[in-house]
Amino acid sequence: MPGDALSQDPSELRRRIDSGKAHPARVYDVFLGGKDHYEADLAAAAAALAANPRGYLDVRHNRDFLRRAVNTLAGKDGIRQFLDIGAGLPTAENVHQIAQRITPASRVVYVDNDPVALAHARALLNSGPEGRTDYIDADLNDPALILEQAAATLDFDQPIALCLVAVLHFVEDEQAYPIVRELVEALPTGSRVVLSHITEDLNPENVRAVQRTYTERGFTFVLRTRAEIERFFTEHVLGLDEPGVVPAHHWRPDHAAPAPEQPEAAYLEGLDPIERIRYADIDDATDDDINVYAATGTKK
């Protein structure tokens, strides 16, 4: 059962944590201004930022795409169930908070394989009384396990939004397409897929420099083209929703990204670049900054 993940012995969780090796979920946490990471994660984020000083905008706009997509699916399209794979560490505006604000009875299942994310997963389970949230400790490479455990919370006879946000670029082609196929085949008609992915189409020099910093640390980091990202939809009986596969900041923008509180200028000047990004506003992003494609699709 999903809840069983949270009953793991704390000593077993600590044993699973390799604080000397960066993990994508924790590097992502650094860029979102979180504090649940280790020196190795901070070093990986700092190296990526040095390679592309505006790279934090990819992470922040990716997250804002997820906010807009959930708002759209829950608020306009009547989706009441969400399966968020590669959910990462709890942050502001998690999927269940957005969805349950619109429809309190919404159900959300989160999936991640990082033991640090699991240690903080209870923050993702503060569902409103009418809805439900659960957490699965699993890897995207095991879709059968994810589907089996998600069925304890989600009704697979009713539409589900499958969220694959900034996760598939950590999976090689020979696994990525079959994984998505297996997940989509299990969804009922009318379900949705919410997907974002790093690409080298837009600003190749910047993103290839970032890719090098990650692969040097042992990450799989696959840069796919627009056509290769569209294939996740077209190959799996998914119709692309408007506006199709577009840079993340162009997917139905509402210009309502939460603005971080600004500290005193003197304090800000004393921070190093990686610390300063938590206070950065993302509304000044241009097409030269963004290297993330985003899209949603509907199962036919």
Side-chain angles (χ1 to χ4, degrees), residues 218-266:
F219 290 2
T220 296
F221 203 75
V222 182
L223 303 175
R224 294 188 173 96
T225 65
R226 184 198 299 262
E228 289 168 331
I229 294 165
E230 286 178 345
R231 182 182 160 197
F232 285 115
F233 295 88
T234 57
E235 191 173 278
H236 307 312
V237 256
L238 293 167
L240 273 167
D241 302 329
E242 290 294 331
V245 176
V246 296
H249 62 313
H250 290 316
W251 193 92
R252 306 188 191 185
D254 62 8
H255 308 290
E261 293 184 13
Q262 293 300 304
E264 295 290 334

Side-chain angles (χ1 to χ4, degrees), residues 89-292:
L89 286 139
T91 184
E93 292 291 89
N94 299 293
V95 169
H96 75 280
Q97 293 166 321
I98 302 168
Q100 290 182 353
R101 187 161 55 240
I102 297 167
T103 304
S106 296
R107 295 185 169 207
V108 178
V109 172
Y110 296 102
V111 183
D112 209 289
N113 69 342
D114 177 26
V116 175
L118 175 59
H120 292 273
R122 291 189 189 279
L124 294 174
L125 301 181
N126 58 344
S127 172
E130 297 176 53
R132 184 174 172 187
T133 62
D134 256 317
Y135 188 96
I136 298 172
D137 177 23
D139 193 292
L140 178 59
N141 287 296
D142 193 353
L145 175 65
I146 291 171
L147 292 167
E148 176 189 356
Q149 296 198 356
T153 300
L154 305 179
D155 179 357
F156 277 77
D157 291 326
Q158 298 297 322
I160 295 168
L162 169 65
C163 300
L164 297 167
V165 176
V167 66
L168 287 169
H169 45 251
F170 297 114
V171 185
E172 297 287 0
D173 284 349
E174 60 269 23
Q175 286 126 359
Y177 292 102
I179 286 169
V180 174
R181 181 185 307 113
E182 185 170 348
L183 292 168
V184 170
E185 284 177 350
L187 301 177
T189 300
S191 291
R192 310 298 279 275
V193 170
V194 178
L195 189 152
S196 64
H197 199 296
I198 293 284
T199 183
E200 62 181 344
D201 284 358
L202 303 173
N203 302 290
E205 185 176 344
N206 287 348
V207 78
R208 286 173 189 155
V210 172
Q211 181 189 42
R212 284 193 295 271
T213 70
Y214 285 153
T215 56
E216 286 168 359
R217 287 164 171 79
F219 290 2
T220 296
F221 203 75
V222 182
L223 303 175
R224 294 188 173 96
T225 65
R226 184 198 299 262
E228 289 168 331
I229 294 165
E230 286 178 345
R231 182 182 160 197
F232 285 115
F233 295 88
T234 57
E235 191 173 278
H236 307 312
V237 256
L238 293 167
L240 273 167
D241 302 329
E242 290 294 331
V245 176
V246 296
H249 62 313
H250 290 316
W251 193 92
R252 306 188 191 185
D254 62 8
H255 308 290
E261 293 184 13
Q262 293 300 304
E264 295 290 334
Y267 173 79
L268 199 59
E269 289 172 5
L271 300 178
D272 65 31
I274 202 71
E275 294 172 320
R276 201 174 299 141
I277 60 174
R278 75 175 60 182
Y279 302 107
D281 190 345
I282 68 172
D283 286 334
D284 65 345
T286 70
D287 290 349
D288 291 335
D289 294 318
I290 303 301
N291 304 284
V292 178

Side-chain angles (χ1 to χ4, degrees), residues 38-116:
Y38 296 99
E39 284 300 320
D41 309 304
L42 193 61
L49 192 67
N52 180 15
R54 300 274 283 173
Y56 66 88
L57 289 165
D58 282 331
V59 176
R60 298 273 297 281
H61 273 283
N62 175 76
R63 189 73 192 180
D64 199 56
F65 156 67
L66 177 62
R67 175 188 65 81
R68 299 193 307 277
V70 174
N71 267 320
T72 298
L73 298 187
K76 296 182 179 180
D77 300 342
I79 300 296
R80 303 291 179 258
Q81 304 187 101
F82 295 82
L83 177 57
D84 185 2
I85 301 179
L89 286 139
T91 184
E93 292 291 89
N94 299 293
V95 169
H96 75 280
Q97 293 166 321
I98 302 168
Q100 290 182 353
R101 187 161 55 240
I102 297 167
T103 304
S106 296
R107 295 185 169 207
V108 178
V109 172
Y110 296 102
V111 183
D112 209 289
N113 69 342
D114 177 26
V116 175

